[in-house]
Amino acid sequence: MTDIINAIKSSAIKINKAIQTEDTSKAQTENSSGDVQVKLDLISDEIIENEFKKVSSIKEIVSEEKQDINPMHGNGDYLIAYDPLDGSSLIDVDLSVGSIFGIYKDEYSGPNIVAAVYVVYGPRVELVIARDVVELYRLDEEINEFIFQKELRLSEKGKLVGPGGTQKEWYSYHKKMIDEFFADGYRLRYSGGMVPDLHQILLKGGGLFAYPGAGDRPKGKLRKLFEVFPFAFVYNKAGGLAIDGKNDLLDLGIEHIHDTSPCFLGSNYEINRVLKTYSKVKK
Ligand code: AHM
Ligand code: MG
């Protein structure tokens, strides 16, 4: 696992450099989910693939930006699903973006994720590793090394809500639930980048991040393998919860590598409120 983490650190340093220096415009291509790619999506994807090629413990990889699984080393133990540059549509407005990695054993599914790592490219570059515990590292750009900062734990209850999706399309019970959080004094924190949005909730002690199923997207937008399972793993290991409304996200399997799922991640109090609302929904 250390060799994988080191490959992720090297990729992050290179991607950070690319974000600072490369063209931020759109590419002429779409990914498997139909999203328009920016050139930096493709550059970041290539940087990661090249780093992972050197790691013999990796059996295969799959990128959010690619259609298919990419076999690596036949004797490797780990399968990695990654989103090379999440939130890349925010690049041209200079908001924070991130890279997300889910590390799996035997097969790509919720129960089989064994570690998760994400990187936030913000005013500083931070990296979070979730294994038995969740650890925060920060890049020291003078020496090009990630320095350990602290262990991260969620409080039982937070103060922030990040409500994703198109509000006009939300189901009425979802809208009522989100309105009630705000009526209770919760504060809105949503940039449109899952990595900084979940990083903020995690570092500020807790709250709720929601990307629900809705009229336009009954199965949500966020992809299980590349986004939802890795962050569900992080939040679980930090003492929080992660559900699709009714089920623990890490109990779910996949039918296709690019499957999406509604997701609710947060501290225990808020997720239990979501469960209360969604348990009454018949479907
Ligand atoms: P991307 O992988 O194409 O960047 O899309 C994922 C992003 C997440 O970071 C974020 O939570 C979500 O899309 C925002 O979507 P919306 O604009 O619908 O709120
Ligand atoms: Mg993404």
Side-chain angles (χ1 to χ4, degrees), residues 176-196:
K176 183 167 174 279
M177 178 187 80
I178 297 291
D179 286 347
E180 283 167 1
F181 277 113
F182 289 125
D184 286 350
Y186 281 79
R187 294 165 70 85
L188 173 67
R189 291 291 182 272
Y190 192 76
S191 74
M194 169 180 211
V195 177

Side-chain angles (χ1 to χ4, degrees), residues 35 64 83 86-88 165 190 192-194 211 221-223 227:
D35 305 323
E64 188 186 287
D83 183 353
D86 183 72
S88 54
Y190 192 76
M194 169 180 211
Y211 205 110
K221 171 185 182 187
L222 298 174
R223 283 137 288 217
E227 296 162 326

Side-chain angles (χ1 to χ4, degrees), residues 240-274:
L241 294 167
I243 59 170
D244 69 354
K246 294 184 176 176
N247 312 294
D248 195 327
L249 284 165
L250 293 184
D251 286 341
L252 304 180
I254 56 160
E255 280 168 23
H256 185 274
I257 51 181
H258 292 279
D259 276 356
T260 62
S261 172
C263 62
F264 303 85
L265 300 98
S267 26
N268 293 330
Y269 172 79
E270 290 80 6
I271 297 298
N272 282 319
R273 267 176 78 158
V274 175

Side-chain angles (χ1 to χ4, degrees), residues 13 197 220 235:
I13 290 168
D197 288 340
Y235 268 58

